[in-house]
Amino acid sequence: MGIFFSKKKHQSRVTEQDKAVLQLKQTRDKIKQYQKKIEQALEKERVLAKELLKNGKKDRALLLLRKKRFQEQVLSRTDGQLENLERMVHDLEFAQIEMKVVDGLKVGNNALKQLHALLSIDEIEKVMDETREGIEKQKEIDEILSGTLTEEDENEVEAELDALLEAEIEEKAPEVPEDVLLPEVPKDLPEPDKGRTKEKIQEPVAVTA
């Protein structure tokens, strides 16, 4: 039953590269401590060599200076090793950053592929057409609201106005009842009196002296 109550082990986030970087940094720190120790020893030996010379112990002073020279060479070699370690740590850390960048690019590319799968070219063209129609419609509305009409719009407005006027005239005109009989126009009109007309023509005109 202990299996059912055992806690699930979480996967460690520490990679092999992280372990390598940590180990390199620990080695670097040890070398720095070793260098500091040698520098302190070199200073003591230099002071001691001066004391031996003062006391006339030239051979011992020479032996001590030889030892000091050897330690200086060791210190010089450790500088080269320390430089190599620093470069290695830098390269590993930069490689980790590059891996994170690559992983980020992979995630981004997968997200783009999913979006491209959701949006087809036909759907995009449809959306663009609808957007274009909406812009043109809004432009027409803006032109109407701003009072700027095209010549074609003006002609259509005048035609609509004429139609409204004709409809209003027809509505106001009195309707003639269908059961009312209008008098017929006589076909034979009376002829004018020719003699009376001649008398009017031959009427004397008074002449004033």
Side-chain angles (χ1 to χ4, degrees):
M1 293 179 63
I3 299 175
F4 298 99
F5 295 98
S6 61
K7 294 183 179 179
K8 185 178 180 180
K9 294 183 179 180
H10 296 283
Q11 187 176 3
S12 177
R13 295 183 180 180
V14 179
T15 62
E16 294 297 327
Q17 291 79 13
D18 294 331
K19 293 178 180 179
V21 170
L22 179 61
Q23 186 175 357
L24 288 172
K25 288 183 177 181
Q26 289 175 348
T27 305
R28 177 198 62 189
D29 295 339
K30 288 180 180 180
I31 291 177
K32 287 183 177 181
Q33 292 174 0
Y34 179 71
Q35 285 181 332
K36 187 176 181 180
K37 182 179 179 181
I38 290 179
E39 288 173 353
Q40 292 174 352
L42 290 173
E43 183 62 24
K44 290 180 180 180
E45 290 173 355
R46 186 179 67 83
V47 174
L48 183 57
K50 289 174 68 177
E51 293 291 331
L52 290 172
L53 287 174
K54 287 180 181 181
N55 296 329
K57 298 178 180 180
K58 185 177 178 181
D59 294 339
R60 292 190 61 185
L62 181 60
L63 182 63
L64 191 61
L65 290 175
R66 286 176 180 173
K67 180 182 178 183
K68 176 176 175 293
R69 181 61 180 171
F70 174 76
Q71 289 178 338
E72 288 176 347
Q73 293 176 354
V74 172
L75 186 63
S76 178
R77 288 197 298 269
T78 56
D79 287 337
Q81 293 174 355
L82 187 62
E83 183 180 355
N84 292 332
L85 287 172
E86 293 284 1
R87 186 183 297 110
M88 183 64 68
V89 170
H90 176 270
D91 292 342
L92 280 173
E93 289 179 341
F94 186 73
Q96 286 179 317
I97 293 174
E98 287 181 331
M99 289 179 60
K100 290 180 180 179
V101 172
V102 172
D103 292 339
L105 290 175
K106 289 180 180 179
V107 173
N109 288 332
N110 291 332
L112 283 175
K113 288 180 182 179
Q114 292 177 0
L115 289 175
H116 291 162
L118 294 175
L119 292 176
S120 63
I121 300 298
D122 295 336
E123 291 179 352
I124 295 174
E125 290 179 351
K126 181 180 178 181
V127 171
M128 293 300 294
D129 292 339
E130 292 177 353
T131 304
R132 193 179 300 108
E133 292 177 0
I135 293 174
E136 292 177 356
K137 188 67 175 180
Q138 185 62 42
K139 185 178 179 182
E140 293 178 1
I141 294 174
D142 294 339
E143 289 178 352
I144 293 173
L145 294 177
S146 60
T148 56
L149 299 178
T150 62
E151 183 178 356
E152 183 179 357
D153 294 332
E154 291 289 349
N155 294 334
E156 291 181 358
V157 170
E158 291 179 1
E160 186 176 359
L161 179 62
D162 294 339
L164 291 175
L165 290 174
E166 291 179 1
E168 186 177 359
I169 291 173
E170 291 179 357
E171 289 178 359
K172 291 183 177 180
E175 296 182 358
V176 179
E178 296 180 357
D179 55 349
V180 176
L181 298 177
L182 297 177
E184 295 181 358
V185 179
K187 297 180 180 179
D188 298 329
L189 298 176
E191 296 182 358
D193 191 353
K194 297 181 179 179
R196 187 181 181 87
T197 305
K198 289 180 179 180
E199 290 178 358
K200 289 183 178 181
I201 295 174
Q202 295 177 357
E203 199 173 287
V205 179
V207 180
T208 57

